[in-house]
Amino acid sequence: MKFLRQLAKVELVAFASLVVAAVAMAIFAAIQTSLHPSPFFNITDSVRVVFLYTLAIGCIPVVVFGAPVYAALLYRGRASWSAAFAIGAVPGAGLLFFAISLGLWALACGIAVALATHAVCASGSNPSSKQTREKPRAA
């Protein structure tokens, strides 16, 4: 039962991190559209499309792959920055074979989401950070 609770926490944190990444990408799209106007999208449409596509494309890898793998590593005490980086990079690296621009976008967002999730979920779970002194025994 402890693993399921931890998985639920990781899923929520990962999804919240995905929303933050989607907002960041939408802000980037707004800046880019304001600097280089497009005949197809105004700034509002660009922000809306990038935000929704980032959520839609990122939701499945986060829920099905990233959060469960990270939760399993966290449960076993093996979660690290490098593991989180690798978990975030795998879906984007896979997309690079099909579409380079989409793969780079997924790579950046995936790594950001995974590292943010690790920053939140791993805080306080490191056994070396806990006080391990034994209580003095009465003689």
Side-chain angles (χ1 to χ4, degrees):
M1 192 59 147
K2 183 181 176 190
F3 174 74
L4 292 178
R5 225 178 333 203
Q6 196 165 36
L7 176 61
K9 177 186 174 188
V10 171
E11 291 277 0
L12 287 173
V13 171
F15 189 74
S17 298
L18 177 62
V19 171
V20 171
V23 168
M25 293 302 289
I27 291 169
F28 178 73
I31 292 168
Q32 196 171 21
T33 304
S34 67
L35 294 175
H36 307 286
S38 167
F40 303 109
F41 291 110
N42 60 27
I43 293 175
T44 306
D45 291 338
S46 178
V47 166
R48 186 178 307 129
V49 166
V50 169
F51 178 77
L52 292 175
Y53 275 119
T54 302
L55 283 181
I57 292 170
C59 192
I60 302 242
V62 164
V63 172
V64 174
F65 172 72
V69 170
Y70 181 78
L73 289 175
L74 190 62
Y75 183 74
R76 290 182 179 93
R78 303 251 188 236
S80 65
W81 289 103
S82 57
F85 185 90
I87 290 168
V90 166
L95 273 175
L96 285 173
F97 291 106
F98 302 104
I100 291 184
S101 60
L102 183 60
L104 290 173
W105 178 42
L107 198 62
C109 288
I111 291 170
V113 168
L115 293 178
T117 302
H118 179 67
V120 172
C121 290
S123 62
S125 68
N126 186 356
S128 65
S129 68
K130 295 179 183 172
Q131 195 172 24
T132 57
R133 282 189 280 162
E134 293 182 24
K135 293 182 182 179
R137 295 184 187 183

